[in-house]
Amino acid sequence: METAFQLFDCDYINNNSPVVRLFGKDKNGKTVCAFVKDFFPYFFVLPEEGKDEEVISFLEKNYKQLFFKAEHVEKYLPIGYRKEKVRMLKVFLKDPSQTPVVRDELRRQKFIKDIFEADILFKYRFMADKNISGMKWIKVHGPAAQTSVSKTDRKISVDSVEPIDDDTNADLKYMAIDIEVVSLKEGVPDPQKDPIIIISLSFFPAHEGNNTLLLMTKSIKKVDRDILIFKSETEMLKEFVSIIESYDPDVVLGYNINGFDLPFILERLKITKNSRALGRCDQKIVTSRKFGMKTRNSMAGRVVVDVYELIKESVGKGLLRLKRYGLGDVSRELIDEDKIDITHGEISKHWNGNEEQVKKLVDYARKDAELVLKLLLSKRMMDKFVEISKLSGLLLQDSLDGGEAVRVENLLLREFNKQDYVIPCKPESREIARREDEQQARGFKGALVLEPIVGLHTNAIVYLDFRSMYPSIFVAYNICPTTILFEDEKEFVKTPSGSRFVSPKLKEGIIPKIVHQLMSDRDKLKKRMKSATTEDERRSLNAKQIAVKYMTNSFYGYTGYVRARLYVLDIASTITACGRYLIQHTKNVVEEDNKFKVIYGDTDSIMVRTQTTDIDEAFKLGDFLEKKINAAHEGKISMKIEGVFKSLLILTKKRYAGFMVEKDNEQLKEKMTMKGIETVRRDWCDLVSKSLYTVLEIILKEQNPKKAFIYIKETLSKLEKNEIPIEDLVVTKSISKSLKEYKGVQPHIELLKKLKKRNPGDAPGIGDRVGYVIVKGLQLMSERAEDPEYVKQNKLKIDSRYYIENQLLPPLERVFEAIGISKSELVGVGKQLLLFDAIKNGVKKPKEDQSIKTIDGFICDRCNKSFRRVPLIGRCDKCSGEIMFYSGETKSRYFVL
DNA sequence: TAATGGTAGGGGAGGAAAGTAGGCTCATAT
DNA sequence: TACTGATATGAGCCTACATTCCTCCCCTAC
């Protein structure tokens, strides 16, 4: 019998000898589990000269049960150009789980020179050898298997496996989970003690007509159709297990499901003596493992997706701009839907409250599961990972969980093996330390950032960049671990930085080959995208295109990554050195005849000032430059015009704003671009981002600083009059490590300490973002950071002075200084405005009693310079005006304690 | 069984350290 | 001649301040 299915998961079980299991779904939506026998784990041993037999007898003697067989093979060593293969031993064992033991023991033996591929996960060893990939279709031959262990529609005992070419995707079933827990004590719920009270499930497609199901352990009168009530948590969990089995989801998802819901459920299942085999196999319970701060869960045959982690990753990679990661914030931003408002601390209160409150809690739980599912589906968050799986060969779960290194390694393993190369084992901790030291000592220089010409440029600026610079360098100079020359070779390619790689005529490097292929694949995908007829087709092609781009760009970072199997610092350094040469050389070429000036450039891009203000002409000049530069680089790497800036304000390296015109199908499109400036940074409050954006827009589009001034004046006066909503004043920052590890004093950390004291259960953790506002007071600014909600509730006063002097003015000063308006002019305007306006607006001047009761600081009567500490002289050191006490808007010579 | 791509760079806040001005004390002179 | 009080001056030391430099941290550009 022949069966084709899309490969969803793969693992192995040990029935005396290993059996590989392939999980997937066929065209009819039936789940499949295919069992493959007679595949054994192996690795390669390079013995010392002539010691082959010693290795074999050692294995025979010490690992009688485990050792299966050894074969003599000829392989290329992976690092450094090799003309000839080397004889080594391919050692087969009987049990994958024991491979590390044998490997480590062998390593200690004198007759061993090196060991290769002794740490490739068994499932990936199998998949690589059979040339099958996660999320691709495979065809298996074989009869139905007699087993009740796996819970799939079809079970097959496999004789042969092969990949098939099919680009479609099977329809998947999704189930979102959200649990609610009451904690007996204050703080984080403890699965040992605290019971689950509600399990909220959301399905796509519907489960027996229900889009949602709510399991709960308290009876309420007005019962919705989707509510199931149980007498005990034990019974509720039992039903939960059976729902999973009957619905049989492919994807199980949740918000922070890895960190909270799943581990918690597992613990409660254990305590209530329910089954923990939630996967498509009775034998394997769901495993939950902690790696440092991360928790990973695996469910045989299914995929666990944590939407919270996906969101964070997207933000981290700059694909998404969000200030906070809460489900509420994210839903509002991405799908314009709100969460029902209940804090963790209030859950117990609602649960133990009246009917109305319990009902609200139920609605809240239902909404959460719905939102998570909606986010994943409507934003098609998994598409990219499906494509990454197909490209790299990884299983979908590992594409989602793992980093770039695993992807690159999986791809390289296959390509290396195809060409008879072995790849090294992962470095041990000592080797990692050595690499780190080496990097420390030698340094690993990165890209070149050209010194910018700071200021406002109003001539047309042409913006050009290199197409996939680092990947192109790999290809252009045949850079690869397998081609790097340590010895003399007649035919070689020399990079501008002086490194030598063997000529591609003798050996085309493996990485260059892969990268070249990926780059041309991407070009084709982009072309197909342009002619796509349906939105679905376009979106699917786009996901592919993005995945290809990711893979292409991963190789450079990988070679400089200390934990990589194929870490070659020389290669990483060579790549960046070539990049530096290219950008510098390009600048020289552009400036050759004094018509153009390169005013800035970063890594792979340059901005060229022309002598025109006409956009069409600028584009023509851009085309001219493009041709000239590409000719200078002899087709090895090409530059492309990205657009023309009508006006551009450069503040510093990596910080600029411009009014850009792009060409899209011969249509001109205008847009504002801002890089690195506070408008795009998440650690400034919205007031700053918004007003700075407006100011920049006025300056760039209208070139009218006066108008910008007036705008600021209004903002400042609003701020002084407390007319700015507190939401606009919230500054958010990430927590990057545990409290103990922080050395200095920082606002968000100080606030975190306070929050932990107030409500340990609700306090944010590592990886979360904390939002704060600065309130009035005399302590360090960091100690005056406060939770906005707390400020509202306790009616604390916002420190408007902080927002003016430390938030609004500094970024504005930098902008105005760059356009030639002095800092003091603006500061003067800012501060005087602030005080004089306030006075004009009717703040009473004390007449009879000229003393004030509290002080906020010390201020110069003439120029309004403020001092943090009391100056001992009574004169302002700037203008020699008199120093006075002030409180709010009131100044006085006298201060009564 | 089991994790984690890279360097360059700006900028805020706090803290240490070296530098400095002014105050205090004491000696001395008038 | 011895002693007192008021006043001035300068040296030496101490303290608090303003400043500079550095570290830590966050986040971004590419």
Side-chain angles (χ1 to χ4, degrees):
Chain A
M1 194 174 54
E2 194 177 284
T3 307
F5 63 95
Q6 191 175 18
L7 183 60
F8 212 58
D9 193 14
C10 172
D11 67 356
Y12 75 92
I13 46 176
N14 212 333
N15 285 344
N16 297 322
S17 68
V19 180
V20 175
R21 302 191 301 183
L22 302 162
F23 292 92
K25 234 173 186 184
D26 70 10
K27 287 271 172 194
N28 305 316
K30 297 281 182 214
T31 55
V32 182
C33 181
F35 299 86
V36 191
K37 285 185 196 152
D38 298 325
F39 186 81
F40 292 91
Y42 65 83
F43 55 90
F44 298 95
V45 174
L46 178 64
E48 288 289 347
E49 199 64 38
K51 304 277 186 175
D52 295 28
E53 293 314 311
E54 227 171 294
V55 175
I56 295 174
S57 61
F58 175 86
L59 288 166
E60 279 170 345
K61 204 174 118 200
N62 294 290
Y63 297 101
K64 224 175 190 170
Q65 300 298 314
L66 215 52
F67 177 54
F68 180 36
K69 61 178 178 179
E71 292 171 358
H72 289 285
V73 290
E74 304 253 308
K75 295 279 172 186
Y76 288 110
L77 292 174
I79 295 175
Y81 170 62
R82 314 279 173 174
K83 278 184 206 146
E84 274 143 32
K85 294 182 185 174
V86 188
R87 221 170 103 96
M88 46 178 95
L89 284 170
K90 185 174 181 182
V91 174
F92 290 82
L93 300 180
K94 288 176 185 164
D95 181 359
S97 69
Q98 295 306 305
T99 312
V101 180
V102 181
R103 173 195 68 205
D104 292 342
E105 185 65 30
L106 276 175
R107 267 200 186 129
R108 284 194 280 274
Q109 305 308 315
K110 269 185 273 172
F111 47 79
I112 304 281
K113 221 184 211 165
D114 212 342
I115 296 180
F116 299 94
E117 301 182 20
D119 52 2
I120 309 287
L121 289 184
F122 189 54
K123 60 188 179 189
Y124 283 121
R125 176 83 276 166
F126 177 83
M127 288 168 62
D129 286 14
K130 301 291 175 191
N131 197 21
I132 58 177
S133 299
M135 295 315 278
K136 282 203 178 180
W137 289 77
I138 59 175
K139 189 165 70 182
V140 298
H141 272 279
Q146 301 307 311
T147 172
S148 57
V149 173
S150 81
K151 299 189 275 195
T152 50
D153 301 326
R154 305 176 61 191
K155 298 152 197 168
I156 302 155
S157 186
V158 170
D159 303 322
S160 74
V161 184
E162 55 184 296
I164 44 178
D165 201 18
D166 184 337
D167 204 29
T168 58
N169 285 316
D171 287 329
L172 301 184
K173 294 170 87 174
Y174 300 83
M175 182 176 102
I177 305 178
D178 178 47
I179 60 168
E180 305 306 333
V181 176
V182 279
S183 11
L184 300 175
K185 277 198 300 187
E186 284 266 306
V188 193
D190 175 4
Q192 296 302 322
K193 299 180 192 127
D194 304 328
I196 298 173
I197 51 167
I198 299 176
I199 300 176
S200 167
L201 304 173
S202 182
F203 306 92
F204 182 84
H207 176 43
E208 293 168 358
N210 288 309
N211 287 317
T212 51
L213 274 184
L214 279 133
L215 287 61
M216 62 188 287
T217 57
K218 182 175 231 174
S219 86
I220 50 172
K221 281 178 215 145
K222 278 182 266 164
V223 173
D224 295 320
R225 203 174 72 97
D226 61 350
I227 295 180
L228 304 173
I229 289 167
F230 298 88
K231 273 187 278 184
S232 67
E233 186 198 14
T234 309
E235 280 180 39
M236 175 173 74
L237 286 168
K238 194 176 168 197
E239 177 63 16
F240 167 71
V241 174
S242 93
I243 291 174
I244 291 191
E245 191 167 339
S246 61
Y247 182 68
D248 197 21
D250 299 295
V251 179
V252 171
L253 64 147
Y255 211 74
N256 196 23
I257 190 175
N258 275 336
F260 179 71
D261 301 68
L262 257 186
F264 203 99
I265 291 173
L266 288 177
E267 205 53 48
R268 294 310 292 174
L269 285 172
K270 193 173 161 191
I271 288 169
T272 56
K273 300 199 170 61
N274 272 298
S275 164
R276 280 177 287 162
L278 305 181
R280 284 173 168 149
C281 162
D282 272 335
Q283 253 179 349
K284 281 197 175 175
I285 61 166
V286 181
T287 54
S288 179
R289 253 164 239 274
K290 268 199 154 177
F291 301 108
M293 288 321 297
K294 276 186 179 168
T295 311
R296 290 277 169 261
N297 303 285
S298 80
M299 231 179 241
R302 309 190 204 282
V303 174
V304 179
V305 180
D306 193 331
V307 176
Y308 170 66
E309 287 178 2
L310 296 188
I311 295 277
K312 276 216 285 197
E313 198 202 61
S314 296
V315 174
K317 296 213 158 122
L319 303 170
L320 209 94
R321 250 189 182 113
L322 283 177
K323 289 211 172 177
R324 309 189 69 171
Y325 310 127
L327 179 56
D329 309 275
V330 173
S331 308
R332 213 170 303 123
E333 194 67 32
L334 298 184
I335 51 177
D336 197 27
E337 269 191 56
D338 269 305
K339 210 175 129 81
I340 293 175
D341 190 26
I342 294 181
T343 67
H344 290 141
E346 292 169 341
I347 291 176
S348 295
K349 209 175 70 193
H350 276 78
W351 184 245
N352 298 316
N354 57 34
E355 185 95 354
E356 201 69 24
Q357 285 174 308
V358 177
K359 192 74 183 35
K360 188 177 174 193
L361 186 61
V362 169
D363 292 341
Y364 158 87
R366 182 192 292 114
K367 187 77 185 183
D368 273 13
E370 281 176 334
L371 285 177
V372 175
L373 186 59
K374 196 164 178 186
L375 274 172
L376 184 90
L377 295 177
S378 72
K379 293 290 148 190
R380 309 178 67 99
M381 294 173 77
M382 286 174 64
D383 290 10
K384 186 181 88 186
F385 296 95
V386 169
E387 296 306 328
I388 284 174
S389 277
K390 290 180 183 173
L391 271 177
S392 66
L394 288 181
L395 294 166
L396 181 54
Q397 185 75 71
D398 296 324
S399 289
L400 287 156
D401 289 349
E404 293 184 3
V406 209
R407 299 172 190 171
V408 170
E409 249 157 28
N410 207 291
L411 191 56
L412 287 178
L413 171 73
R414 289 156 188 252
E415 206 51 44
F416 268 61
N417 285 178
K418 269 183 209 159
Q419 298 193 25
D420 271 342
Y421 279 80
V422 290
I423 73 165
C425 292
K426 282 187 201 158
E428 293 170 288
S429 53
R430 253 183 42 207
E431 171 63 9
I432 293 170
R434 191 197 65 75
R435 291 175 181 182
E436 279 167 349
D437 290 347
E438 180 197 33
Q439 252 188 52
Q440 201 74 38
R442 279 181 45 189
F444 171 12
K445 264 179 121 182
L448 176 66
V449 184
L450 299 175
E451 205 56 53
I453 297 180
V454 169
L456 182 64
H457 301 268
T458 48
N459 276 2
I461 307 285
V462 181
Y463 183 85
L464 302 127
D465 66 7
F466 283 109
R467 271 177 83 246
S468 313
M469 184 194 233
Y470 288 172
S472 300
I473 293 174
F474 271 109
V475 178
Y477 302 105
N478 201 33
I479 297 174
C480 183
T482 62
T483 56
I484 188 164
L485 287 173
F486 296 123
E487 289 158 26
D488 276 350
E489 184 64 44
K490 275 184 201 149
E491 293 203 65
F492 60 83
V493 187
K494 194 171 177 187
T495 67
S497 64
S499 299
R500 292 177 311 139
F501 296 85
V502 74
S503 155
K505 276 181 264 170
L506 292 179
K507 158 82 196 157
E508 184 190 15
I510 297 180
I511 295 181
K513 185 185 163 201
I514 297 175
V515 166
H516 187 71
Q517 184 63 48
L518 289 171
M519 280 164 60
S520 94
D521 288 352
R522 180 154 180 246
D523 285 347
K524 284 178 203 150
L525 285 167
K526 280 179 137 179
K527 270 188 196 133
R528 278 173 60 196
M529 244 174 93
K530 276 188 183 157
S531 56
T533 46
T534 65
E535 182 55 22
D536 250 19
E537 188 192 357
R538 201 199 62 82
R539 233 180 340 211
S540 140
L541 287 168
N542 190 40
K544 282 186 203 299
Q545 175 267 124
I546 288 171
V548 173
K549 179 179 163 190
Y550 264 69
M551 286 303 300
T552 317
N553 288 333
S554 295
F555 287 89
Y556 148 71
Y558 176 79
T559 58
Y561 173 48
V562 289
R563 287 164 200 268
R565 290 172 193 270
L566 288 157
Y567 167 87
V568 188
L569 189 54
D570 273 343
I571 289 184
S573 304
T574 298
I575 299 281
T576 55
C578 289
R580 290 193 296 274
Y581 165 81
L582 283 170
I583 199 77
Q584 186 62 55
H585 182 232
T586 304
K587 175 175 149 79
N588 298 344
V589 168
V590 169
E591 290 179 341
E592 225 165 40
D593 53 7
N594 291 323
K595 272 190 191 156
F596 301 102
K597 177 79 189 159
V598 173
I599 56 166
Y600 180 55
D602 185 344
T603 313
D604 61 353
S605 68
I606 52 165
M607 295 179 182
V608 184
R609 186 173 65 203
T610 64
Q611 290 167 354
T612 179
T613 51
D614 182 86
I615 298 306
D616 286 328
E617 198 188 334
F619 270 104
K620 278 182 198 131
L621 291 170
D623 288 338
F624 163 78
L625 285 172
E626 203 181 282
K627 286 199 186 81
K628 183 172 179 182
I629 295 164
N630 290 341
H633 293 127
E634 297 157 358
K636 280 188 168 156
I637 177 165
S638 64
M639 225 178 194
K640 201 170 168 286
I641 173 166
E642 282 297 309
V644 170
F645 286 109
K646 275 185 168 174
S647 55
L648 174 68
L649 176 65
I650 305 182
L651 298 182
T652 58
K653 284 179 174 176
K654 299 197 187 278
R655 288 161 56 84
Y656 59 86
F659 186 35
M660 191 189 230
V661 186
E662 283 175 329
K663 237 181 206 171
D664 186 25
N665 289 333
E666 294 306 307
Q667 289 260 309
L668 294 184
K669 273 204 312 199
E670 293 182 337
K671 69 165 189 188
M672 294 286 294
T673 311
M674 298 197 184
K675 298 286 182 190
I677 303 181
E678 288 77 1
T679 52
V680 301
R681 293 186 63 95
R682 291 176 300 159
D683 51 355
W684 289 82
C685 65
D686 281 355
L687 173 71
V688 171
S689 323
K690 288 179 195 164
S691 32
L692 190 60
Y693 188 94
T694 310
V695 164
L696 286 168
E697 210 172 23
I698 295 171
I699 290 172
L700 290 167
K701 284 189 179 168
E702 306 173 33
Q703 284 151 42
N704 184 352
K706 226 178 206 169
K707 190 172 166 190
F709 254 69
I710 293 167
Y711 170 75
I712 296 166
K713 199 171 141 181
E714 282 165 15
T715 308
L716 286 171
S717 115
K718 273 188 199 161
L719 190 51
E720 260 297 291
K721 287 186 255 168
N722 284 323
E723 284 171 6
I724 305 284
I726 192 169
E727 287 71 27
D728 281 353
L729 301 178
V730 178
V731 180
T732 59
K733 280 201 171 97
S734 310
I735 303 168
S736 62
K737 49 194 171 190
S738 72
L739 270 185
K740 280 177 284 176
E741 287 170 277
Y742 278 98
K743 286 175 188 158
V745 181
Q746 284 187 88
H748 62 305
I749 302 307
E750 293 307 304
L751 174 58
L752 177 62
K753 289 180 190 162
K754 285 185 238 175
L755 291 176
K756 277 204 165 161
K757 268 188 204 155
R758 281 178 207 157
N759 193 349
D762 271 346
I766 297 174
D768 291 338
R769 297 181 62 82
V770 184
Y772 63 86
V773 292
I774 300 298
V775 296
K776 277 193 177 162
L778 296 168
Q779 304 122 289
L780 276 180
M781 167 256 167
S782 294
E783 286 155 3
R784 287 186 282 124
E786 200 35 273
D787 173 24
E789 280 306 313
Y790 186 86
V791 169
K792 276 191 212 163
Q793 281 163 23
N794 295 281
K795 303 205 165 66
L796 297 180
K797 284 222 169 107
I798 296 289
D799 184 359
S800 48
R801 189 159 292 272
Y802 166 82
Y803 282 95
I804 293 169
E805 290 177 6
N806 299 55
Q807 286 274 323
L808 263 179
L809 291 184
L812 289 169
E813 276 165 24
R814 285 189 282 268
V815 167
F816 282 109
E817 212 173 6
I819 59 172
I821 292 173
S822 84
K823 194 169 155 177
S824 60
E825 269 175 79
L826 177 71
V827 174
V829 166
K831 289 184 187 164
Q832 279 166 26
L833 242 164
L834 176 98
L835 287 152
F836 294 163
D837 274 7
I839 291 163
K840 257 189 280 164
N841 287 330
V843 178
K844 275 171 255 155
K845 254 188 187 170
K847 276 177 192 162
E848 287 178 26
D849 182 6
Q850 294 241 314
S851 66
I852 52 179
K853 303 287 183 278
T854 58
I855 57 166
D856 290 337
F858 307 91
I859 197 162
C860 167
D861 191 26
R862 192 180 300 172
C863 77
N864 286 318
K865 175 185 173 176
S866 67
F867 299 79
R868 214 169 69 181
R869 288 175 263 214
V870 201
L872 289 173
I873 48 160
R875 293 280 157 193
C876 169
D877 60 348
K878 203 162 154 197
C879 73
S880 73
E882 192 180 348
I883 308 290
M884 303 186 81
F885 290 112
Y886 76 92
S887 172
E889 295 82 21
T890 318
K891 287 188 282 181
S892 172
R893 226 169 248 120
Y894 312 101
F895 172 60
V896 179
L897 275 169

